[in-house]
Amino acid sequence: MKRKLGAEDLFKINSVSNPQISPNGEEAVFIRTEIDEKDNKYYAHLFHIQLATGTISQWTYGKERISSPNWSPDGQSVAFLSNRDEKNQLYIINKNGGEAKKVTTLDSGVNSFLWDPSNGKIWISSKIKSGKTFTDKVEKEDKPLPKAYVVDGMKYKMDGIDGAGLVPQDSYSQIAVLNLNDESIDQFTTGEYQHSLQAISPDGKKLVVGVNRADNLDYVFKSPLLLIDVETKEETTIVDQNGYYGGAAFSFDGKYIAYAGSDHSYKNATHGNIYIYDVEGKTTVSLTDGIDSPVGDYAVADTQQGISSPAVVWTAANELYFQLSTMGDVRLYYATLDGAIYPASPEGEHIYDYAVTKDGKFALIAVSNPTFPGELFNYEIAAGERKQLTHFNEEFLKEVELVQPSDISYEVSDGNTVYGWLMKPAGFEEGKKYPLIVEIHGGPHTMYANSFFHELQLLAAKGYGVLYVNPRGSHGYSQAFVDAVRGDYGGGDYTDIMAGLDYAISQNDWIDTERLGVTGGSYGGFMTNWIVGHTNRFKAAVTQRSISNWISFFGVSDIGYYFTDWQIGADMQDPEKLWNHSPLKYAKNIETPLLILHSEKDFRCPIEQAEQLYITLKSMNKQVEFVRFPDNNHNLSRTGTPNLRIERLNQIVQWFEKYI
């Protein structure tokens, strides 16, 4: 008999990602990430697999995180990044065995790299100080004194950066070429700009580089892509318009460059597309304009680690593959240059990483679904047949009872249909009544998906039903649907969620309407705050990394000064509108016992948002508690310090057990 899932089972779940197929199409490498409970750290190791036999061998074993594996053009070795010496440096390992060789010792480490087709060079990007070169050494101070940080721009901090979240000053990402014969480095880009290394042509003569050379980036929201001649450094602009573009890849014949991106029509709610640039004709077409769903993976989950799936993959026949988020799935899609587009994988799952053979016959896909954390499969695309290659989560699946959610859909007041899922409690018995928790995702422009979610399974294991839906603002549906939340936070999105609750209750007599809970993080935390300020239907609530006050959020969040305008439709020239959309305004109405969870180093939704809400409610003698998590950022629930992720889950469960 299987046991119920626990919070600590997070330590038993492995993440399988980064499949990379060798040039001969007969073997591949991938990464397995695990959480070491004793060391309280994430470790990621490189594995090799023979595709014909399925034989798997582990190539790295250290206490490190491997990332970005990439085969050499001759297929004899694999380069990868490793933090085994603190900073990410570049290593190369021969496929026939032996230790990996460290080939860079850069002060800031290596951000990214690309093999040159010649096989004897690797293009790298790294941060270097203004006025310095790749070969200059930074002198270490024995006892460095604290230094003032002079702020003269608005994009000066960022969530996820160590310390105070301040963006390093006078440091720029530059591109260079590493010569493997003598390990010398020749710098390629210059200037005080951030360069991203995108793609290299099959003949090695042209690079695609991302760089924005605007003098003031405060209100610049674009990522231009340039095609640069390696020898002459002559530049040709591929795209230079408002929006975000990247993930460039050359076709095998070098005639085309595919890339992903979205314009700024709906700000950060704009659907992503695949674009094709004709190198000779210097023209661009949007390949996916006819699809009213976004290109890319917008699913939220909490067990997949280190994912870096390609934006688009070419075959030798100039066919393309890419991910599409659609109707609660993330599927692999196929396209041709003449506009034929159709799904290449089934419904009901989340393909969170992938690689495709040069001939387009097979793909390696990393697949998850609500009761399957994820493994690697060899997928024969035309036949639709797949073979599971890895079994790292097999013991976990044999041991633990998991709940299969049921799809639900319901019509809301404006005629739209909202989709979601309902999980019964583990060990469900007919005739019994059970409490229900409503979970709300962040973003808001992300989506719940047919993917494994440990937190949701944990609540079900603790005896709760779980309702999670994709209200307006969620990705995976139409452009109009994802845009509908902008300027209307707390309006139609609120009614969508409450209508979902009403629908679930009407269809399931096991739901105890006197024992309801609600929780969510980021935008889901905002919505939790909003809900308890507008209804007393819930017996308990847990708000996580939330927004409570749009007025202060405008100035303290790393994205506040523009995100507020994009989402609420107002800035500090209209504080009344910001206040009307702020849950803090409605604090006096809150009667639901509220637990506030927040990370100390969250610079996306800074902890002062939680502090304001807590002190306000406490001053009103409301039932409220506040838990602060040290040394963690906005991503605590997904990539945070392992023991604190467990503590967070336990806090949520204990609060609901206490009040529901």
Side-chain angles (χ1 to χ4, degrees), residues 63-127:
K63 293 187 174 184
E64 61 187 326
R65 292 197 76 166
I66 302 293
S67 60
S68 306
N70 206 330
W71 286 91
S72 60
D74 66 4
Q76 295 302 304
S77 56
V78 174
F80 59 87
L81 300 180
S82 170
N83 67 351
R84 63 182 66 174
D85 293 324
E86 189 177 351
K87 300 284 186 183
N88 262 344
Q89 300 291 355
L90 184 64
Y91 292 75
I92 297 176
I93 188 169
N94 191 287
K95 76 169 188 176
N96 295 318
E99 288 291 322
K101 181 183 179 183
K102 183 178 180 180
V103 292
T104 63
T105 54
L106 298 175
D107 289 304
S108 297
V110 175
N111 297 332
S112 64
F113 69 93
L114 288 171
W115 279 95
D116 187 89
S118 68
N119 209 79
K121 300 186 293 187
I122 297 180
W123 293 85
I124 60 174
S125 69
S126 177
K127 291 267 189 181

Side-chain angles (χ1 to χ4, degrees), residues 259-336:
Y259 60 94
S262 57
D263 62 33
H264 227 224
S265 301
Y266 303 92
K267 306 305 180 185
N268 64 321
T270 310
H271 275 178
N273 282 295
I274 295 294
Y275 297 89
I276 306 296
Y277 177 77
D278 185 314
V279 175
E280 185 176 342
K282 299 181 181 179
T283 58
T284 302
V285 296
S286 175
L287 193 66
T288 54
D289 248 357
I291 302 178
D292 200 7
S293 288
V295 168
D297 181 354
Y298 289 92
V300 292
D302 60 358
T303 59
Q304 290 134 19
Q305 298 289 333
I307 309 303
S308 58
S309 56
V312 61
V313 171
W314 288 93
T315 72
N318 280 347
E319 300 159 333
L320 304 101
Y321 288 89
F322 55 89
Q323 293 162 299
L324 191 82
S325 293
T326 173
M327 300 299 293
D329 296 325
V330 180
R331 301 176 70 181
L332 195 63
Y333 263 63
Y334 163 90
T336 63

Side-chain angles (χ1 to χ4, degrees), residues 594-611:
L594 182 65
L595 174 64
I596 302 172
L597 306 180
H598 221 107
S599 293
E600 300 277 3
K601 293 184 177 180
D602 187 338
F603 302 115
R604 183 60 38 87
C605 298
I607 198 168
E608 60 86 28
Q609 295 285 305
E611 292 169 335

Side-chain angles (χ1 to χ4, degrees), residues 410-414 416-418 469-473 481 484 491-502:
Y410 53 95
E411 192 170 297
V412 291
S413 57
D414 63 358
N416 273 313
T417 299
V418 174
V469 303
N470 284 327
R472 67 191 68 189
F481 189 84
D493 50 355
Y494 169 65
T495 60
D496 285 355
I497 293 167
M498 299 307 290
L501 176 60
D502 291 335

Side-chain angles (χ1 to χ4, degrees), residues 38-86:
K38 181 180 178 182
D39 290 350
N40 203 29
K41 289 184 178 181
Y42 301 86
Y43 295 133
H45 297 121
L46 185 66
F47 285 74
H48 174 270
I49 184 167
Q50 290 287 353
L51 298 178
T53 63
T55 303
I56 294 175
S57 55
Q58 186 169 344
W59 276 7
T60 64
Y61 292 85
K63 293 187 174 184
E64 61 187 326
R65 292 197 76 166
I66 302 293
S67 60
S68 306
N70 206 330
W71 286 91
S72 60
D74 66 4
Q76 295 302 304
S77 56
V78 174
F80 59 87
L81 300 180
S82 170
N83 67 351
R84 63 182 66 174
D85 293 324
E86 189 177 351

